[in-house]
Amino acid sequence: MPQPLAIAYVTSQESIEKAASEVKQLVQEEGLNCLINNAGINVVANLETVTAENMLENFHTNSVAPLMITKAVLPLLKRAAAKGTGMGIHRAAVINMTSLLGSIELYWGDRANSFKWYPYRTSKSALNMVTRCLAVDLEAHGILCMALHPGWVRTDMGGPEAPLSPEESISCVLSVIGGLTEKDHGSFLHYTDYDYARPDTHSVHQMEVLYEELGHRMSPGTSCTNLGSSLDLASMVDLEEENIQGSLRFSLFYDQLQSKLVVTVLDAQDLAVRDFSHSVDPFVWVRLLWAEREDEEQNSMQCVLDEWQTRLVKKSCSPVFGDQFSCTLTEEEISRITVRFEVRDFDKYSRHGVLGEARAALNSLKLSYPLELREDLQVPKKDMVGEALLSLKYLPTSQRLEVGVLKIRTVCHPNKTERALYARTSITCNHCKLRHQRTAQKKRWEVTVFNEVLTFTLPDQQIRECTIIVSVYEVQPSKKSFKRLIGHIHIKKGKTSENEHWKLMMQSLRQPIAKWHLICI
């Protein structure tokens, strides 16, 4: 496991200052992007057994130490914050690990009769106030401050009955920290009532991998050789970007002797600069879309035959790529192929911006010789790649939302090897992922039957304001590392196209309501 940058005994001011000096030597002029105050102890004592020494011991570690550590590294945080705009770990952030047990608002009713730990609970309440005070004082410097409840975890403190492993907790924490923005400044994020949805098995890595991922997320100038292998399109910014400009030059050629389509991404010109970064790091995502039918007027469903990505060109509005890709196709298949080029702005937190797209329908082109084209970038359009029968049920008394994944119909190329499908359901609120679960894998058919119900327990207000994202993935049983996103479904109260299903669910409480939804990419 990678060693920490510096070790500090959090109750020793001398040790804290020594660690801060070591961190300064390591980060130098770049400054410190993110401080996570994670150290904590639990001194168990009820009203009968609590002593002043108990209280002071817990307060020193859980409340005082995070404040002193933050003070010690504050010059490094300010140095990093001065290099950017907005708020988040791309600039500078202080994350204090707190607990639901420190919440005064939640300590009512049945909750008030459990965990009567005076030292621990009051120390976490104090930590929440320390965080709020830091948020006020550091806002002018652009340093994001917030408190985060990491879940009930199977550590020495959490005990063996806790539902989350350390790996799962770290995975959830990373996904939250990577998406923090100004709206989270000074807030207290938590998972409610110790009811946790397990992360997907593919996202639960060994501790070494998670620490390495944390290092990549925190360090400036992260390079990426495979920009989209794990990219979830639901995490991208809205595709309805207003500032679309520039053009893309590419060439297409069909080699009849080898039955290969050759696609070359040459360059782009005059790409839009994103307002918050004042620069652009472009790359191009190329997809081959195969239509179910040749008749375009019927708006047939499509599937992704192959997809590639170019190299990343940093800080260039007119990048030169020169990347070439090929795919084996028959002449009959060419007439059903559309090549979709998405120009994206790389973001090391996987929130890649969309700078525009260009398309080429091959049925109208003569490709016996290399054909070079330059197309103006357009606002990206979504393609229909399938449909899914979903059921929704809301139980307000138990604050439970049930999402049923019943059937999924997708288009599959007849020459594809045996594949399987699974669906991942995420619940988000204010662009923050609260829960996610996935179905089991099922062998892929034209209509794949799942009949699985995924249950999410959330506060009533979050359920009423949340967005449900169902992402469908294709896997190949013979290749454990193979995973391809097929498409997404978004269900949200305020989204017009999905409003009917949401409205029916709210009108028919405690009853499952089923409806077909289009899967788009």
Side-chain angles (χ1 to χ4, degrees):
M1 183 181 296
Q3 294 298 312
L5 294 178
I7 297 176
Y9 297 97
V10 298
T11 56
S12 166
Q13 187 62 30
E14 181 182 355
S15 179
I16 290 173
E17 291 174 358
K18 180 182 177 183
S21 178
E22 292 176 12
V23 172
K24 181 179 179 180
Q25 293 297 318
L26 289 166
V27 300
Q28 297 183 12
E29 295 304 314
E30 292 296 330
L32 181 64
N33 290 103
C34 188
L35 168 65
I36 301 177
N37 286 310
N38 185 57
I41 61 172
N42 179 16
V43 178
V44 178
N46 58 24
L47 182 59
E48 288 73 30
T49 60
V50 67
T51 65
E53 290 75 16
N54 295 154
M55 298 292 291
L56 292 173
E57 180 185 3
N58 229 149
F59 263 74
H60 198 169
T61 301
N62 292 6
S63 311
V64 179
L67 177 59
M68 295 300 104
I69 293 171
T70 304
K71 282 188 66 177
V73 300
L74 186 55
L76 304 178
L77 291 165
K78 289 180 179 179
R79 186 177 300 173
K83 298 178 183 293
T85 59
M87 278 191 173
I89 62 171
H90 68 282
R91 193 175 179 188
V94 177
I95 312 297
N96 290 327
M97 289 299 170
T98 184
S99 171
L100 275 179
L101 297 179
S103 172
I104 296 174
E105 179 184 4
L106 296 177
Y107 196 52
W108 298 96
D110 293 338
R111 296 186 184 93
N113 295 315
S114 59
F115 302 106
K116 297 180 180 180
W117 301 334
Y118 276 74
Y120 180 76
R121 299 194 73 152
T122 51
S123 71
K124 288 300 184 180
S125 295
L127 178 61
N128 294 342
M129 182 52 72
V130 166
T131 306
R132 194 70 196 92
C133 292
L134 285 171
V136 174
D137 288 336
L138 301 184
E139 183 172 14
H141 301 285
I143 301 174
L144 184 145
C145 300
M146 55 87 63
L148 175 65
H149 168 60
W152 184 12
V153 188
R154 287 192 298 275
T155 59
D156 291 341
M157 183 190 298
E161 296 181 358
L164 282 178
S165 69
E167 294 88 348
E168 290 170 325
S169 177
I170 291 172
S171 182
C172 292
V173 167
L174 286 178
S175 65
V176 171
I177 291 177
L180 296 177
T181 61
E182 286 91 339
K183 65 178 175 30
D184 303 303
H185 183 58
S187 64
F188 169 29
L189 296 185
H190 57 82
Y191 303 96
T192 304
D193 293 340
Y194 302 117
D195 182 36
Y196 307 101
R198 298 281 180 152
D200 290 354
T201 54
H202 69 264
S203 70
V204 180
H205 309 295
Q206 296 298 321
M207 290 288 283
E208 291 89 345
V209 177
L210 288 168
Y211 273 102
E212 182 180 357
E213 180 186 355
L214 180 61
H216 284 317
R217 287 174 181 257
M218 302 305 176
S219 60
T222 302
S223 61
C224 189
T225 56
N226 188 1
L227 306 179
S229 60
S230 61
L231 176 65
D232 185 351
L233 294 186
S235 69
M236 291 175 56
V237 297
D238 193 348
L239 297 183
E240 299 291 333
E241 293 274 5
E242 294 182 1
N243 191 18
I244 302 293
Q245 67 181 52
S247 62
L248 180 70
R249 186 167 65 99
F250 55 90
S251 74
L252 303 168
F253 169 57
Y254 182 66
D255 186 337
Q256 293 178 317
L257 292 177
Q258 300 187 56
S259 298
K260 279 190 175 182
L261 174 67
V262 180
V263 180
T264 307
V265 182
L266 299 170
D267 61 58
Q269 288 186 0
D270 303 322
L271 299 178
V273 174
R274 302 177 77 190
D275 292 338
F276 67 89
S277 62
H278 305 292
S279 65
V280 63
D281 299 328
F283 69 100
V284 181
W285 189 288
V286 185
R287 281 195 177 96
L288 292 188
L289 300 172
W290 180 79
E292 184 181 28
R293 296 187 298 271
E294 292 188 44
D295 187 355
E296 294 184 358
E297 294 183 0
Q298 295 189 29
N299 193 26
S300 64
M301 288 198 293
Q302 303 182 77
C303 71
V304 178
L305 276 190
D306 217 332
E307 53 188 9
W308 312 287
Q309 61 199 16
T310 68
R311 64 192 181 90
L312 172 68
V313 180
K314 289 193 173 183
K315 300 188 183 305
S316 176
C317 292
S318 296
V320 176
F321 299 104
D323 294 282
Q324 188 173 92
F325 313 100
S326 64
C327 178
T328 301
L329 294 168
T330 65
E331 289 190 58
E332 292 74 22
E333 290 173 322
I334 286 291
S335 62
R336 298 193 188 186
I337 296 292
T338 298
V339 187
R340 171 175 159 182
F341 302 88
E342 280 185 18
V343 183
R344 300 179 179 175
D345 179 22
F346 174 75
D347 178 83
K348 63 182 177 182
Y349 310 114
S350 295
R351 295 188 166 189
H352 305 309
V354 180
L355 302 175
E357 74 162 25
R359 293 177 180 243
L362 303 190
N363 61 351
S364 60
L365 301 175
K366 294 181 180 180
L367 304 178
S368 53
Y369 295 95
L371 176 64
E372 186 175 305
L373 300 170
R374 179 174 292 280
E375 297 287 340
D376 290 337
L377 295 181
Q378 307 293 327
V379 174
K381 297 185 300 182
K382 292 184 179 180
D383 294 288
M384 184 173 66
V385 293
E387 54 186 348
L389 180 61
L390 305 178
S391 71
L392 299 178
K393 182 167 73 170
Y394 176 42
L395 297 92
T397 304
S398 55
Q399 297 186 339
R400 199 162 75 234
L401 175 65
E402 295 183 359
V403 181
V405 181
L406 308 179
K407 299 178 181 179
I408 294 178
R409 176 179 177 253
T410 55
V411 179
C412 188
H413 190 273
N415 294 335
K416 273 197 172 183
T417 57
E418 182 178 326
R419 301 291 169 92
L421 296 180
Y422 72 88
R424 171 188 168 114
T425 300
S426 302
I427 308 297
T428 67
C429 190
N430 293 326
H431 302 288
C432 178
K433 186 184 293 182
L434 304 176
R435 301 278 195 281
H436 64 269
Q437 293 187 54
R438 54 170 287 181
T439 66
Q441 290 183 14
K442 300 283 186 178
K443 183 178 179 180
R444 184 172 183 174
W445 302 94
E446 182 178 353
V447 177
T448 307
V449 178
F450 287 87
N451 286 337
E452 289 192 38
V453 176
L454 308 176
T455 302
F456 303 91
T457 302
L458 293 163
D460 179 74
Q461 186 61 33
Q462 288 185 347
I463 291 179
R464 291 181 180 274
E465 299 298 330
C466 75
T467 298
I468 303 169
I469 303 172
V470 180
S471 304
V472 181
Y473 290 90
E474 174 188 63
V475 294
Q476 192 171 338
S478 61
K479 296 181 181 179
K480 291 185 178 180
S481 61
F482 177 87
K483 180 185 74 170
R484 173 178 290 163
L485 173 70
I486 291 180
H488 296 291
I489 299 167
H490 286 70
I491 304 174
K492 185 178 179 181
K493 179 183 69 173
K495 195 167 185 178
T496 306
S497 60
E498 311 296 352
N499 194 39
E500 180 185 355
H501 200 181
W502 191 273
K503 188 183 298 184
L504 289 172
M505 177 186 75
M506 288 301 182
Q507 290 174 350
S508 307
L509 299 178
R510 303 176 184 84
Q511 299 297 321
I513 304 297
K515 186 179 182 295
W516 284 94
H517 295 266
L518 294 178
I519 304 172
C520 297
I521 194 168

